[in-house]
Amino acid sequence: MRQEQPPRPEPLDPPMVPFAVAGLAVWAVVGLVLLIFFRTWLTEHGRQDWLWTCLAGFLWGFPGLAVMMRHDANRRRRRAAAQTLRPDDAGR
């Protein structure tokens, strides 16, 4: 006798723009902290590349933000289409 499997849960699909904005903010804050408080130490120890790494992370965050904005727009479109196909599930 074969047992019926429980239904699979739907995959998580959270909004991604807040994650991209948080990443931008983290790179910016770390870069500013390094620049303001540790610039002398970084220069003395030859670690100025840490500042460039923070700048690169911050700047690469903007294309990532654009991609996540596009992802969220598609996500909203998918959910709206699913609601028009299944109006009886709107109360869930």
Side-chain angles (χ1 to χ4, degrees):
M1 185 173 237
R2 189 172 171 189
Q3 291 183 346
E4 189 174 321
Q5 293 184 354
R8 287 186 172 182
E10 290 189 30
L12 295 177
D13 192 17
M16 299 304 292
V17 169
F19 291 104
V21 171
L24 277 165
V26 167
W27 281 115
V29 168
V30 171
L32 288 174
V33 166
L34 287 175
L35 184 64
I36 294 170
F37 297 110
F38 295 100
R39 187 172 190 177
T40 306
W41 185 89
L42 293 172
T43 303
E44 289 173 357
H45 292 87
R47 301 289 186 186
Q48 298 94 344
D49 55 338
W50 289 7
L51 292 171
W52 290 110
T53 301
C54 290
L55 179 63
F58 179 72
L59 293 177
W60 274 108
F62 287 105
L65 178 62
V67 169
M68 292 301 104
M69 289 171 71
R70 181 77 173 241
H71 174 273
D72 283 355
N74 289 335
R75 175 180 164 269
R76 284 189 298 274
R77 204 171 301 124
R78 281 193 315 267
R79 288 187 175 198
Q83 286 296 334
T84 59
L85 293 176
R86 302 179 285 169
D88 58 325
D89 291 342
R92 288 188 194 180

